[in-house]
Amino acid sequence: MDRDEYLERLEATTEASADLFEHFEERATAGRTHYVLTAARHGVERGTVIVEETETIVRGYPSIPRILVLDPGVPSFFEESETVAIEEKLDGFNVRIAAVDDGDPLAFTRSGYVCPYTTARARDRLPLEEFFASHSEKTLCAELVGPETPYSTHEYEGVDTHEFRVFDVRDRESGEPLAVADRRRLCEEYGLTQPRLFDRAAPSDAVRPTRAAIEELDAAGREGVVLKSADGERLVKYTTEAQHHEELAYAFSLPFDHGRDFVFSRIVRDAFQAAESDADEDRLEERARDLGESILRPMVSTIRDVEAGETVGERHTVRGDPETIEALLEHLRGQSLTIDLESDRREDGERVLEFVKVAESSRDRIRYYLNGGTRDE
Ligand code: ATP
């Protein structure tokens, strides 16, 4: 592999290829050698993949900054001459689908793994052949949402198992996005479902519709919005109270498996949102109670589960053809996850598997404290 050539193709902000390539990891995937960037470096996104044999680059999905207040967060983030599209942010997991060679397209997770399950589901559910026949140089960026995925479980009305929502179409190598209007038109043309578009407005007029969207999403227990400049280049996110509390509940249900930063950042988000809102004391009281409950209750429940000898961890259900499910299990175990199978059955010719990604740190720490172990603090 000619590293200097790749450095140039990646448009990295360093001239020393070793600086960038020391962060690439070599993985054997689907009969090919993938070099995967394990952390964002020198202007190149985490999860960027170089497929050696086909000399293909699949650019990682960029990190999206967050604003903590809508006013003046929105007007300060965008140029006044830009139009802002207010799109729903869905809570699932990020998938990049790209055709890296003549074979069938592959689905990459955020960190650059090819997930066999997501790949099989994408091939099954999306018109990939048609799309890539005319757009072979593009990457479809989608969120896989629904209660039955191997990585997330957020429920959406009308989604019984899982579905893809395409939120971006980018150039596979440069990561250059299509303009929002062009992407929405293209996806409609191919019948690719997208997240809801709430509104478009000039930055200084976008605060009010964004706040209205957030109120509506919050009431429905949904995650939030991504605001996008019309050319698709600049993105910023903002989330609902419901989402902050849901993520806190999740983190505190596995308290020794999540970093303190994870927890602190959700509280900071909630505090800025509460401070900006002009809601009355009763509303603040309600938020405070809700936040406290999302911290204490899940943790107490997990302590009790460990005490009762139950398996603690993230519970997932997946369904698909038996080989795909087997490949998924192998893939997850290959990532050093401990998987506990809770149920394994057939439904309408599909294999339906319920499993737990065992949270070993939480289980072991809780067990230790329950047995009277001490804590240095
Ligand atoms: P970061 O953005 O820093 O990578 P993260 O990985 O924790 O943080 P999130 O905070 O969940 O990601 O937010 C970004 C993700 O939101 C995107 O990577 C994408 O998967 C998801 N997403 C859902 N809906 C949209 C949308 N409409 N537009 C863009 N991204 C969306």
Side-chain angles (χ1 to χ4, degrees):
M1 176 165 90
D2 182 341
R3 291 180 167 200
D4 290 328
E5 189 194 313
Y6 278 112
L7 195 70
E8 219 176 292
R9 282 174 64 186
L10 286 164
E11 294 176 19
T13 54
T14 175
E15 309 221 313
S17 60
D19 281 358
L20 183 66
F21 281 91
E22 66 178 346
H23 302 289
F24 272 88
E25 191 177 281
E26 186 180 332
R27 296 178 194 156
T29 309
R32 305 255 188 239
T33 312
H34 287 199
Y35 290 93
V36 183
L37 188 61
T38 53
R41 285 286 181 281
H42 307 291
V44 187
E45 297 78 14
R46 177 172 79 97
T48 295
V49 180
I50 297 173
V51 182
E52 185 170 40
E53 292 80 356
T54 57
E55 300 185 0
T56 318
I57 293 176
V58 182
R59 194 85 190 192
Y61 195 74
S63 176
I64 303 179
R66 170 186 298 277
I67 45 172
L68 293 182
V69 292
L70 291 175
D71 195 6
V74 179
S76 348
F77 185 81
F78 294 99
E79 301 284 335
E80 194 41 37
S81 56
E82 286 176 323
T83 301
V84 178
I86 306 166
E87 202 169 78
E88 180 171 5
K89 179 180 194 311
L90 294 162
D91 181 8
F93 70 97
N94 181 298
V95 187
R96 282 167 289 142
I97 305 162
V100 293
D101 58 46
D102 297 339
D104 285 326
L106 299 176
F108 294 86
T109 63
R110 195 79 192 275
S111 51
Y113 284 98
V114 172
C115 173
Y117 180 79
T118 315
T119 296
R121 299 316 274 182
R123 288 177 186 175
D124 196 46
R125 301 207 157 191
L126 301 175
L128 299 185
E129 219 170 287
E130 278 164 78
F131 181 83
F132 287 112
S134 314
H135 305 281
S136 59
E137 303 297 307
K138 298 270 182 251
T139 296
L140 285 175
C141 308
E143 196 80 351
L144 185 62
V145 297
E148 295 186 341
T149 92
Y151 310 102
S152 63
T153 54
H154 192 98
E155 300 257 358
Y156 280 98
E157 212 187 316
V159 181
D160 293 335
T161 167
H162 54 250
E163 281 175 26
F164 291 90
R165 299 281 183 262
V166 178
F167 56 75
D168 223 331
V169 176
R170 293 187 172 240
D171 182 82
R172 188 182 62 205
E173 178 159 323
S174 68
E176 188 71 22
L178 283 187
V180 175
D182 294 344
R183 183 252 304 169
R184 294 200 69 93
R185 214 173 300 118
L186 186 69
C187 287
E188 263 168 38
E189 190 188 314
Y190 284 91
L192 297 163
T193 317
Q194 309 178 64
R196 175 173 166 195
L197 176 69
F198 280 93
D199 215 335
R200 294 175 207 266
S204 52
D205 298 330
V207 173
R208 194 197 290 257
T210 304
R211 190 165 283 139
I214 285 291
E215 274 167 24
E216 186 182 334
L217 292 168
D218 188 43
R222 296 169 80 115
E223 179 170 10
V225 293
V226 180
L227 306 182
K228 308 183 172 189
S229 57
D231 60 9
E233 296 274 359
R234 295 176 42 73
L235 314 174
V236 72
K237 62 195 176 195
Y238 185 79
T239 45
T240 60
E241 174 184 351
Q243 182 70 13
H244 306 154
H245 295 184
E246 184 180 316
E247 290 185 10
L248 282 170
Y250 158 71
F252 278 100
S253 72
L254 305 170
F256 302 106
D257 283 83
H258 294 286
R260 289 172 191 210
D261 287 355
F262 183 98
V263 170
F264 184 65
S265 61
R266 272 66 187 174
I267 296 175
V268 167
R269 291 171 199 173
D270 218 39
F272 274 88
Q273 190 168 68
E276 188 182 13
S277 105
D278 52 10
D280 57 19
E281 264 312 300
D282 287 352
R283 180 71 187 82
L284 187 60
E285 180 72 29
E286 190 192 326
R287 188 193 279 259
R289 194 171 333 104
D290 209 53
L291 185 138
E293 290 195 350
S294 61
I295 290 176
L296 195 66
R297 286 192 188 281
M299 191 154 164
V300 170
S301 157
T302 301
I303 295 171
R304 290 191 173 138
D305 286 349
V306 173
E307 200 167 21
E310 284 171 29
T311 310
V312 296
E314 272 179 38
R315 288 194 150 62
H316 294 275
T317 302
V318 287
R319 65 180 66 227
D321 68 77
E323 301 84 70
T324 302
I325 299 292
E326 204 48 50
L328 172 69
L329 275 176
E330 208 176 294
H331 174 71
L332 295 174
R333 290 191 172 122
Q335 299 187 330
S336 310
L337 292 172
T338 304
I339 305 292
D340 231 49
L341 301 186
E342 300 230 301
S343 119
D344 195 351
R345 57 184 194 275
R346 295 292 169 108
E347 258 176 40
D348 306 325
E350 288 187 314
R351 183 174 172 194
V352 183
L353 190 74
E354 288 176 31
F355 64 91
V356 182
K357 292 180 187 164
V358 180
E360 294 180 329
S361 300
S362 295
R363 179 198 62 196
D364 297 349
R365 289 251 117 205
I366 292 171
R367 227 183 243 162
Y368 171 73
Y369 295 135
L370 283 172
N371 286 332
T374 56
R375 197 172 155 79
D376 294 329
E377 47 191 22

